């Protein structure tokens, strides 16, 4: 059996000035009942007193404050294959992300790779990374035991465009494994001290940045308050050229906490 695992790092915290703007907008919108949670951190689990409906409304409400992608969601014709343990609410959030991923031709292709190879999408409480992809091959099952796993805090509290960008990143890892183009097949990886294969992350972050550019253009998403501001920064680094992008990804992925909790 061959098993490879690729990880995606969470983004940096938002700036205080942006936080102040969002809080003011939320107060005017009548969402004062949930403001305390945003002040605490956008990635903290909801308190038990919050209902699933309130959590979903929060995520959708924040998403509505920002710019919409340049294309319409394109839901798949057949049900999404979820890994075990994904709640109904989490399934809805992932489905929204999948629909946006499939808003581009490359997004459709990447999603088809997951479907054709029986790759499920799951949720897990991750200590550091926002998501990871595990590619497994066996003579009996092929790639069908492979999976993409997203941090439950990202699924619970982020909006569909960021989830779509995460899926573009992780599906690229699966695609390169399935098609035999990953650097580890020819022992050509630059391995960082924390074990990250730099070349694989450069290609995956490139796919992520290209999806973001397709969605929001070269200027990026306006009114980006959360992890979407980090996607904007990734986009800027990509547009500066391959050398700067490589160093950006190297710095981004060099944290010793990579892979914690997996």
């Amino acid at each position: 059996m061959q098993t490879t695992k690729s990880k995606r790092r969470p983004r940096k915290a938002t700036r205080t000035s942006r936080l102040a703007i969002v809080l003011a907008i939320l107060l005017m919108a009548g969402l004062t009942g949930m403001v305390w949670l945003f002040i605490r951190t956008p990635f903290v689990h909801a308190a038990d007193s919050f209902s699933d409906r309130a959590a979903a409304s929060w995520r959708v409400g924040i998403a509505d404050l920002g710019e919409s992608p340049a294309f319409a969601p394109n839901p798949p014709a057949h049900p999404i294959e979820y890994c075990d343990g994904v709640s109904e609410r989490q399934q809805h959030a992932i489905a929204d992300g999948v629909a946006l991923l499939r808003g581009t031709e490359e997004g459709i292709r990447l999603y088809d790779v997951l479907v054709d190879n029986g790759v499920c999408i799951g949720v897990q409480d991750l200590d550091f990374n926002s998501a990871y992809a595990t590619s497994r091959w066996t003579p009996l099952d092929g790639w069908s035991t492979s999976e993409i796993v997203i941090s439950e805090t990202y699924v619970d509290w982020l909006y569909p465009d960021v989830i779509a960008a995460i899926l573009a990143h992780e599906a690229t890892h699966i695609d390169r494994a399935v098609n035999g183009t990953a650097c580890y097949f020819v022992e050509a990886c630059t391995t960082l001290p924390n074990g990250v294969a730099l070349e694989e992350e450069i290609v995956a972050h490139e796919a992520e940045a290209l999806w973001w550019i397709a969605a929001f253009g070269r200027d990026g998403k306006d009114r980006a308050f959360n992890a979407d501001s980090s996607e904007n920064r990734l986009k800027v680094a990509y547009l500066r050229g391959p050398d700067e992008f490589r160093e950006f990804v190297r710095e981004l992925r060099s944290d010793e906490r990579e892979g914690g909790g997996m």
Side-chain angles (χ1 to χ4, degrees), residues 53-98:
R53 182 178 178 182
S57 297
W58 169 264
R59 183 171 58 85
V60 172
I62 292 294
D64 287 343
L65 297 176
E67 176 186 4
S68 297
F71 41 77
N74 182 19
H78 301 289
I80 297 169
E81 184 170 351
Y82 298 104
C83 306
D84 293 340
V86 181
S87 71
E88 183 176 353
R89 174 165 57 85
Q90 291 169 337
Q91 289 182 21
H92 285 308
I94 292 171
D96 288 344
V98 166

Side-chain angles (χ1 to χ4, degrees), residues 6 26 33 36 38 51 65 67 71-72 88 93 95 110 132 155-157 179 185 189 191 193 206 221 230 247:
S6 303
L26 292 178
W36 72 270
F38 194 81
S51 66
L65 297 176
E67 176 186 4
F71 41 77
E88 183 176 353
L110 287 172
Y132 66 85
V155 173
D156 290 346
W157 297 109
N179 291 306
F185 283 117
C189 300
T191 304
E206 178 183 16
K221 183 180 180 180
S230 294
E247 291 309 308

Side-chain angles (χ1 to χ4, degrees), residues 113 117 119 135 143 146 173-181 184-185:
V113 171
N117 291 280
V119 180
S135 52
W143 296 98
S146 301
H173 285 307
I174 297 292
D175 180 43
R176 287 173 62 80
V178 168
N179 291 306
T181 56
Y184 45 78
F185 283 117

Side-chain angles (χ1 to χ4, degrees), residues 33-56:
M34 288 180 279
V35 167
W36 72 270
L37 183 62
F38 194 81
I39 293 174
R40 184 180 174 191
T41 169
F43 301 130
V44 171
H45 297 288
D48 291 340
S49 59
F50 280 89
S51 66
D52 286 352
R53 182 178 178 182

